[in-house]
Each structure stands twice: as C-alpha cells, then as structure tokens.
Amino acid sequence: MFKTKSEIIVIRAEAIKPIDTNVVFWSHDKGTAKLIFQLQKDYMNQPLSAGTIVPILLEFNSDTAEGGRGRHIYHALIEDAVNGIVSIVLEDNILGYQGRVEGSIYIELPDSRSLDTAGRFTFDIKRSPIDENVPELEDYYWQGFNEIMAQYHQTIATIKLEAKTLLDSLTADVTTAQNKVTTLEQSITTANTNLNTRINEINKKIDDNDVFMKQESSANVVYQVIGKDVVEMTVTLDFKNKIAGSNVENLNAAKSGGGASLFPPTAPFTEYDTSAYRSIDTLDSKNKVNTVSSVGGMAQLVLEYDVLGTLKKILGEQFFSDRGASTIAEQVAILNGGLITNFVSKHFGFGESSGGNKISMSCRAFDSNSWINAVSHTSNAIASLTISTAYVKNKISDTGFSNIIIYSEANDGTKISQISTDYTSLEIKIRISANEHIKSMIANNHVENLATPEEAKAGTDTTKTMTPATTAQSIDNRAVTLASNQTIGGLKNFQNEPLVDGIPIGLINEACWCEDFTVNNLAAGIVNPDIQRFSTSNEDVFSSSGKVITIKKSGVYMIVLGVNYSGLTSWLAFGISRVDGTSLVNRNLLGSATSGSNSFTYVRSFEGNDQIRIEFNSGAAGTTMQKINLAIVKIA
C-alpha cells in the first residue's frame, strides 16, 4: 500500500517554474510515500533504454548541512521503460524533516551521456500527531552508494568461487596434459592422411560447381526467405539524409517558388537548404512552410525524383549492362519495358490561402508536357494526398526523372498563398527475378573487389572476394599435398575429423535469418518485438538475444525485411534501427489497405559489434504482423 502522486515531466531545454504537486507527506508515512513521474519529450512518452539511470535529487533547508541545504539523491525505479514511467519511495531518513522539499530529475544514458530534464517539483513534509519521536534527519544521502557496496560484496564472493574452481581445474589439467600430448601426435598422423583425400574431393567439387562461393551461398539464403522466383519490390524515394547541392547521399531534390500558373519542372525555382530537407524527410509533425506574397501568385513545390539513378544504386550497373543498356536512353527503355509496375506519390501537409486550406498535387506527363492526375484536400491540419496509378511510361523523363508538383490556391491580396509539408515520397514497384536481383546486388558489391592470384596464395587479405579459380590456387599453395615432400609446422589439433559433406572446409556462409514469426495486436507508438525463430550459419558473425541482433564483424551487409499485416486502421512504419533508437531504414505503409504485404532491401556497412533490432511504429493499436521474415547476409 502506497500514498502516491503522479506528475508529467517534460524534457526540454527551457527553464520552467517548478511544479507545485500540492503533496504533503507525513513523518508516519514510512515506506509508503511514493512519487511517480511520466517522462515525455515532444508530447510523446520518452522510452528508456536498458542500462539507463534516472537520478532524482531532493533538497531541503538544514542548519547543519554545508551551505544550509541538505541533499538526498535517489535512483528512481523504472516501472515502464517503454512509456518512460519512473518512481521513488521516500526513505525514513528524510521523514524527520519538516517543511518544503524541492526536487529535480536527471537522466544518465548507458553510453555515458547525461541530461538535466529541466523538470522541477516541490512537496511538503509534516510531522504526524502520533509521532513523539521522528526519524533522524540525514543531511546527505546517496542511494547509489548502497548499490555499489552490494555489487562490491557480490563481486568478492564471485571471485572467491571462481578462484577455487580454477584451482581445481588446473589440478585436473596437469594430470591429463601428458595423455593429450600422446593422443595429439597420433591424431596428426591420421588427420594428415585423411586431409589429403579430402582436398582432392574439394577440388573436384569446385570444378563441378557443387560448392558455392560466398556470393552464391548468400543468394541461396535470401532465396529461401523470399521463397519466390519473381518478386515485386517496393522502392521508396524521399529526402532522408539529403544534403542541399549534393547527390552523394540522396539523388532527389525539392525546389520552391510561385507564380500565377503552374510552372514546368525546368522553372528556375530555389532548392531547399539542408535544414528544410530535415523538416520533410520523416512524418513527425515538423513542417516546412513555403509562402508566396505576390498578388495572384500560387505557392508551388516541385519534387524531382531520380528514378533511374536510385534503381542503379540498388540493382547495380551490371543489371542494365546484362540487358545491353549502356546509355541513359537505353536504360530508361528498360524501366519503361515492364520493370516498373506501379507508381504512388504521397504528400502529408495542408495549404492556406484566402479561399481556405485547399492543397493540390499533380504528376508530370512528359509526352504532353503537362501536369496530370490532380488530387486535393481542404483540411486545415496535416492530411495525406495520394496519386496511385498503374505505371505508364509518360511519367519518367528521357533522363530517368519523375516530377511531382504541390501547390495551393492563389494570393488574392488579402492573404498569402502557403504550403505546409511534413513528409513526401514517391513509391515505385518493380517486378524482378529474385535470383537476378541477388546476382546484381552481389556483382554491385563484389566485382571490383576480387582477389588476385598472388593475394589468394598469400592468404592474408581479409577484404577481398575469392573466385573458384583463386580458391583452388589458395588450396594448392597452402594445403598438405598427397605426394610431394613438405615440412608441417605448428600444432594441429583435430578434435573431430574434417568434413566435406555438411559445411565445406573454409567455405562457411556468413548469414542469419528469422522466419515466419508473428506479432499480434501492436500497440500504438514504437514497438521492438523479440526476435523469434532466429538461425545463423556462423555464430562468429551473428548472435541474437531478446530484441537485439548483434553483427559482430565489420563489413558490408545486405538486409531483406518482409512483412504480412492485417487490421491496419492508421499509418504503420516498419524498419531496422540501432538499439539506441537511431533509425537506419524504414518503410511507411501510409494510406495502404487494411491488410497486405510489403518488403524492402537495404545495403550498408557496419563497424563490428553493431546491435540492431526490428522496429514497428503504428499510429493506432490493433495491427497484427501475421508473418515477419528477416535475412542479413555479409556480402563484403
């Protein structure tokens, strides 16, 4: 049983007036005086990651304390990490105080960062009439000291136990060491004979293409997860990571301007600066506003999506060269020849003019040089506009671009014309053979990184890809042969006989996958489900625990994530994020059907020991993820 009081603490940069909780605790409230705090940021509950500490400082007047102020520091109990709910129960050593207590809340993150929430609050302590003697008031108290002492005693006990275990083990090892030396000498002789036979078998399998190289094995893993010969992939073009004036991070561009009529894409509009791009790259209620103050002018936003350039980044130049397309015109013809099957443009925002809040969106038809497929709404808050059509080739220019225009009603002299944009994107569906896609992805990441015969023989470079020929050269140069005289150095410890059928020597896949698991009734907001049905072909590269997959080795990895969903009543986003909450890639199901399927493919480099997790973010509760498939393949 507790006497409780709950307050909301908003994390902010501004100093605010302390919250007067109107709470009075009494000296007789021993072990029952409880304060509960809900931490929020940007009007949303603030999740607390594992390892986070929330110190709460209580200060009060004291004639015996230095500076006349007593200080008690509590480590708050995290009651609900997802929703940022913490609490403290007052210790008896503060109940002897009578008067006003001032509190403040802080956050210490697992990566050594910390912050002052700026949350301040007050409450009072009074003496209970029944108490003739009250607990002695301590001027200083730090809950963390008791925690450190408990950890210290536990550590000492653990060290003593481990020392005894180690001593017992060493005694047993000395007894068995001599026997192992004799056994090892016998094993080397037997293994040398068996290994020569296995090497010949491996070389034959390489010649017959029975053994997959690393690239081919990776493709097989992804093929097993996708389970289809031909797939439809959704590619989203938006402005994530866009830097103004640069086409390195993002190939697309947004330009603003105005006029009495809708301008063509070639009009000399002004490109957004980098801060403006940050306002439209995520659906997060952070708007970019464009205005036109001239009478008769309409605010206009022209979006330029580099469809060809984006697909070349995903599929690789080899995909087009295999089809005899070396020029831009030939590559655009590939896009228009059935590769693209669907075209969906989305905009989230609203307009403002003397006529109301009407905002419209159209796409460019390059065969007629006109704006077509106009849609509009009149909401005075963020709402979606969607143009969804079966793809027709007039929507892509001769240079591989698609153009969208957003515009509001004209300025009539009484009110400016204005557009507010929260998020905008272009989604295209492409139909492609799964095996061709994997081949293109591997070629895009490996063709410039093949080992030379000299590098294969040296066997020291850990960044190069081996072909069947260089693999055979490496084996011939470094393995024990059948007939020639050789000196074998170093200790050879074969606990088990080397295998060929099963996992070939030196040809171990580096991939992991989780298959066909379900998450029922997603809650609104960010949800990170436990990883289920996880498998890996190499535990030195991947591991899974709870919600987290750890990528242990640095390199370039390809991630494929697919979902089947039902019960969608609002927007839903799914993707991959780091454990610190940083989003790496996500797909927004905005304005989609209540049930369906979707997937994406993502390639990036990791530094080693990176921890990632699957992330869902739903606008409303109730959506069920009926089938979730994830594959991660190390490709370089």
Side-chain angles (χ1 to χ4, degrees):
M1 178 185 296
F2 294 98
K3 293 170 65 176
T4 63
K5 174 63 176 178
S6 299
E7 293 290 346
I8 294 176
I9 299 297
V10 178
I11 302 171
R12 65 183 81 202
E14 302 89 352
I16 62 171
K17 182 179 179 181
I19 299 171
D20 189 351
T21 64
N22 294 318
V23 169
V24 176
F25 289 127
W26 301 84
S27 61
H28 208 62
D29 294 334
K30 297 179 180 178
T32 58
K34 186 174 184 179
L35 292 170
I36 302 173
F37 301 98
Q38 171 84 62
L39 302 180
Q40 293 186 351
K41 186 176 184 296
D42 298 330
Y43 305 101
M44 296 181 65
N45 294 342
Q46 175 63 47
L48 300 173
S49 58
T52 299
I53 300 174
V54 181
I56 297 181
L57 171 64
L58 302 181
E59 295 185 288
F60 50 86
N61 293 329
S62 173
D63 294 335
T64 59
E66 183 179 353
R69 297 284 285 173
R71 293 163 55 91
H72 284 198
I73 301 176
Y74 290 72
H75 284 180
L77 172 66
I78 299 177
E79 298 193 353
D80 186 341
V82 173
N83 293 305
I85 299 175
V86 302
S87 68
I88 62 172
V89 177
L90 297 188
E91 298 286 347
D92 294 350
N93 58 13
I94 199 174
L95 295 177
Y97 174 72
Q98 298 183 48
R100 175 60 56 95
V101 178
E102 300 175 359
S104 53
I105 301 179
Y106 308 83
I107 298 177
E108 296 179 0
L109 300 171
D111 59 3
S112 301
R113 294 182 299 148
S114 62
L115 61 83
D116 185 335
T117 66
R120 305 292 188 266
F121 61 92
T122 63
F123 64 92
D124 294 298
I125 300 177
K126 295 184 179 181
R127 182 170 181 174
S128 301
I130 196 173
D131 289 337
E132 295 182 2
N133 297 310
V134 297
E136 182 180 355
L137 175 64
E138 298 180 6
D139 288 331
Y140 304 102
Y141 170 70
W142 178 40
Q143 193 176 52
F145 178 76
N146 294 334
E147 297 173 358
I148 290 175
M149 290 303 297
Q151 293 175 359
Y152 166 75
H153 290 300
Q154 179 62 41
T155 301
I156 292 300
T158 301
I159 291 174
K160 289 180 178 178
L161 179 61
E162 291 177 349
K164 183 179 183 303
T165 301
L166 179 60
L167 182 59
D168 294 342
S169 175
L170 289 174
T171 301
D173 288 345
V174 170
T175 303
T176 60
Q178 293 299 326
N179 293 333
K180 287 187 177 181
V181 170
T182 302
T183 302
L184 179 59
E185 292 174 349
Q186 296 171 350
S187 297
I188 290 175
T189 302
T190 302
N192 187 54
T193 301
N194 294 336
L195 182 59
N196 289 331
T197 303
R198 299 302 191 225
I199 292 299
N200 284 340
E201 294 176 0
I202 291 173
N203 283 330
K204 185 176 185 305
K205 287 195 174 186
I206 291 175
D207 292 337
D208 295 340
N209 292 319
D210 290 333
V211 179
F212 289 110
M213 292 301 94
K214 181 177 178 180
Q215 301 97 312
E216 295 166 322
S217 299
S218 301
N220 286 342
V221 172
V222 178
Y223 177 79
Q224 291 168 11
V225 175
I226 295 176
K228 299 178 181 179
D229 290 330
V230 178
V231 295
E232 272 197 337
M233 292 174 51
T234 299
V235 178
T236 300
L237 292 80
D238 57 17
F239 298 97
K240 286 184 174 62
N241 303 318
K242 176 65 179 178
I243 304 298
S246 171
N247 286 331
V248 176
E249 302 82 3
N250 187 305
L251 299 174
N252 310 314
K255 300 178 180 180
S256 63
S261 61
L262 296 183
F263 282 94
T266 55
F269 280 6
T270 303
E271 183 185 4
Y272 273 1
D273 59 25
T274 301
S275 63
Y277 281 125
R278 295 293 75 78
S279 298
I280 68 170
D281 63 359
T282 305
L283 186 61
D284 56 5
S285 300
K286 296 178 182 179
N287 301 338
K288 169 59 180 174
V289 178
N290 301 333
T291 61
V292 171
S293 57
S294 59
V295 176
M298 296 184 294
Q300 302 176 39
L301 172 62
V302 174
L303 308 172
E304 297 180 353
Y305 294 109
D306 188 348
V307 177
L308 177 60
T310 300
L311 291 181
K312 287 166 71 173
K313 273 193 170 183
I314 294 173
L315 302 177
E317 292 281 356
Q318 188 70 34
F319 178 86
F320 291 91
S321 61
D322 284 348
R323 290 156 176 78
S326 58
T327 67
I328 291 178
E330 292 169 338
Q331 292 167 351
V332 170
I334 296 294
L335 304 186
N336 291 329
L339 179 64
I340 299 178
T341 62
N342 192 255
F343 179 100
V344 180
S345 176
K346 296 181 180 181
H347 180 273
F348 289 80
F350 58 92
E352 187 173 350
S353 65
S354 57
N357 295 99
K358 184 176 181 180
I359 187 172
S360 303
M361 175 171 66
S362 298
C363 60
R364 189 68 172 178
F366 290 97
D367 55 354
S368 61
N369 289 325
S370 61
W371 296 106
I372 63 172
N373 301 127
V375 294
S376 61
H377 73 70
T378 57
S379 173
N380 63 354
I382 295 174
S384 64
L385 289 172
T386 301
I387 297 175
S388 179
T389 64
Y391 173 71
V392 289
K393 64 182 180 180
N394 67 341
K395 289 187 172 66
I396 293 186
S397 71
D398 292 340
T399 56
F401 282 80
S402 285
N403 290 108
I404 304 295
I405 190 168
I406 315 296
Y407 54 97
S408 63
E409 297 295 282
N411 178 353
D412 66 352
T414 63
K415 194 169 186 179
I416 62 175
S417 177
Q418 179 171 296
I419 298 170
S420 294
T421 300
D422 185 2
Y423 176 72
T424 187
S425 67
L426 174 65
E427 293 181 359
I428 57 174
K429 283 188 177 180
I430 61 175
R431 184 173 177 82
I432 185 173
S433 162
N435 287 336
E436 284 183 342
H437 177 46
I438 298 300
K439 175 185 174 183
S440 298
M441 292 293 298
I442 293 172
N444 196 31
N445 287 279
H446 285 281
V447 71
E448 300 298 334
N449 197 37
L450 299 178
T452 65
E454 291 73 19
E455 291 169 334
K457 292 179 180 179
T460 57
D461 194 321
T462 61
T463 64
K464 295 299 182 69
T465 302
M466 299 285 284
T467 66
T470 54
T471 301
Q473 290 166 346
S474 179
I475 293 174
D476 290 340
N477 186 66
R478 303 180 66 82
V480 179
T481 60
L482 287 174
S484 62
N485 296 326
Q486 291 180 292
T487 300
I488 308 299
L491 178 64
K492 308 297 186 293
N493 181 15
F494 296 93
Q495 293 182 342
N496 297 291
E497 183 177 358
L499 299 177
V500 172
D501 295 325
I503 301 177
I505 298 173
L507 300 176
I508 300 176
N509 287 334
E510 296 177 347
C512 72
W513 55 95
C514 48
E515 304 175 69
D516 295 348
F517 70 91
T518 300
V519 179
N520 294 313
N521 297 321
L522 284 172
I526 296 176
V527 175
N528 301 109
D530 285 337
I531 301 299
Q532 305 172 37
R533 300 187 66 179
F534 176 87
S535 303
T536 178
S537 58
N538 194 335
E539 294 180 353
D540 291 333
V541 181
F542 302 94
S543 66
S544 172
S545 176
K547 302 175 186 297
V548 176
I549 293 176
T550 300
I551 301 177
K552 300 178 181 179
K553 289 188 176 182
S554 62
V556 178
Y557 291 77
M558 178 170 64
I559 300 175
V560 180
L561 177 61
V563 299
N564 288 357
Y565 64 90
S566 64
L568 178 63
T569 59
S570 180
W571 60 268
L572 173 69
F574 68 97
I576 302 295
S577 68
R578 295 183 186 275
V579 294
D580 64 4
T582 302
S583 176
L584 297 179
V585 60
N586 64 72
R587 168 66 45 73
N588 292 316
L589 301 181
L590 308 169
S592 299
T594 58
S595 63
S597 62
N598 214 306
S599 66
F600 63 75
T601 301
Y602 178 59
V603 176
R604 69 160 292 141
S605 62
F606 290 93
E607 295 300 324
N609 289 320
D610 286 82
Q611 294 185 315
I612 63 174
R613 59 192 180 188
I614 300 176
E615 181 174 281
F616 296 101
N617 191 356
S618 178
T623 305
T624 292
M625 312 312 294
Q626 296 171 317
K627 183 177 180 181
I628 304 170
N629 284 324
L630 172 69
I632 306 175
V633 182
K634 188 173 187 293
I635 59 177

